[in-house]
Amino acid sequence: MVRDSGSAPAAAGFSSREVILNAARTLVGEKGYDGMAISDLSARSGFPPSSIYYHFGSKLGVLAALLERTFEELHALFPTPSSFDDLAPLERLEAWLSAACDSLDRRPDYLRLLVAISIGPQKDAAEVQATVRRIREFSHASWVDALTPVFAPNGGKNKEALVQQLAILGRALTDGLSVANSFDGVSYSSQVGPFVAMVSGLAGQRDGAAKRKR
């Protein structure tokens, strides 16, 4: 039976489901998914195991729901590159990446959660894979949107292929920074400048090569 009315966190304005998911996110960050027991989740959330099973069905159901909520929060928190369409291509990229990294600096638990999940056997569960894939595709599409005006404003097969490759690199950058942030205290925002400088240098090289061929 769900214990909403008897819970202090719920009384403070959170549903029992939200309280359990908040507790799960903290525990996964501390112990990893495999290290999180239902008893831990019960103790941290203040709700009995029966409430957890009522809402989520299983421990894996908790993880799937947590990932789904993370995806919704990412949509709400992260800017889209099109928010900066009034800027020149490189400035647009830098403004979007700066805003995105600022969001990650404020909520680093998002990517830490994905990294924690990626190293455990639960990553192969269908309900987990589906949501993780949606999060990854959302991130990749944002990188493609940000990089296309720099390298392929007028299309072109080779140019579009380069954008796809750089989008994978950009996504890998933020993945790696989630580890550097956790262990070394490296902020996401501190890497905006070096990445934009790299992109600017590559764009300049390609423009120069294109002019020499004319």
Side-chain angles (χ1 to χ4, degrees):
M1 185 174 181
V2 181
R3 199 179 57 175
D4 280 1
S5 60
S7 164
F14 294 95
S15 71
S16 56
R17 194 174 190 277
E18 290 175 321
V19 172
I20 293 168
L21 288 177
N22 287 340
R25 178 149 57 194
T26 300
L27 287 169
V28 170
E30 292 175 353
K31 300 183 175 185
Y33 172 76
D34 293 332
M36 180 186 73
I38 291 294
S39 58
D40 296 327
L41 189 52
S42 176
R44 182 65 64 96
S45 67
F47 289 95
S50 59
S51 288
I52 297 170
Y53 289 118
Y54 172 81
H55 282 296
F56 305 103
S58 65
K59 179 182 168 182
L60 187 59
V62 174
L63 180 61
L66 180 57
L67 283 171
E68 186 63 33
R69 192 180 72 168
T70 298
F71 179 68
E72 294 170 358
E73 290 173 339
L74 283 170
H75 265 293
L77 182 65
F78 274 51
T80 61
S82 61
S83 302
F84 308 98
D85 278 350
D86 58 319
L87 300 176
L90 273 171
E91 292 174 343
R92 178 181 183 267
L93 169 65
E94 184 171 9
W96 166 74
L97 185 55
S98 295
C101 286
D102 180 66
S103 297
L104 287 171
D105 281 332
R106 286 185 281 118
R107 293 299 302 271
D109 50 305
Y110 288 135
L111 290 186
R112 287 176 186 170
L113 172 65
L114 293 181
V115 170
I117 290 166
S118 71
I119 60 175
Q122 70 282 344
K123 71 179 186 298
D124 296 323
E127 55 265 62
V128 171
Q129 280 193 344
T131 303
V132 169
R133 190 176 298 112
R134 287 170 61 204
I135 294 172
R136 306 290 287 169
E137 289 173 353
F138 169 71
S139 173
H140 184 80
S142 294
W143 276 104
V144 169
D145 187 1
L147 290 163
T148 294
V150 179
F151 292 101
N154 301 312
K157 185 175 180 180
N158 291 338
K159 294 179 179 179
E160 290 174 353
L162 175 63
V163 167
Q164 291 291 332
Q165 292 171 343
L166 290 174
I168 293 172
L169 178 62
R171 193 174 61 185
L173 169 72
T174 51
D175 288 343
L177 281 173
S178 67
V179 177
N181 179 271
S182 295
F183 288 97
D184 304 322
V186 176
S187 70
Y188 292 88
S189 297
S190 68
Q191 301 306 304
V192 171
F195 187 85
V196 172
M198 181 194 73
V199 170
S200 178
L202 179 58
Q205 288 178 0
R206 292 180 65 83
D207 287 345
K211 290 177 181 178
R212 287 193 293 273
K213 288 180 180 179
R214 292 173 186 171

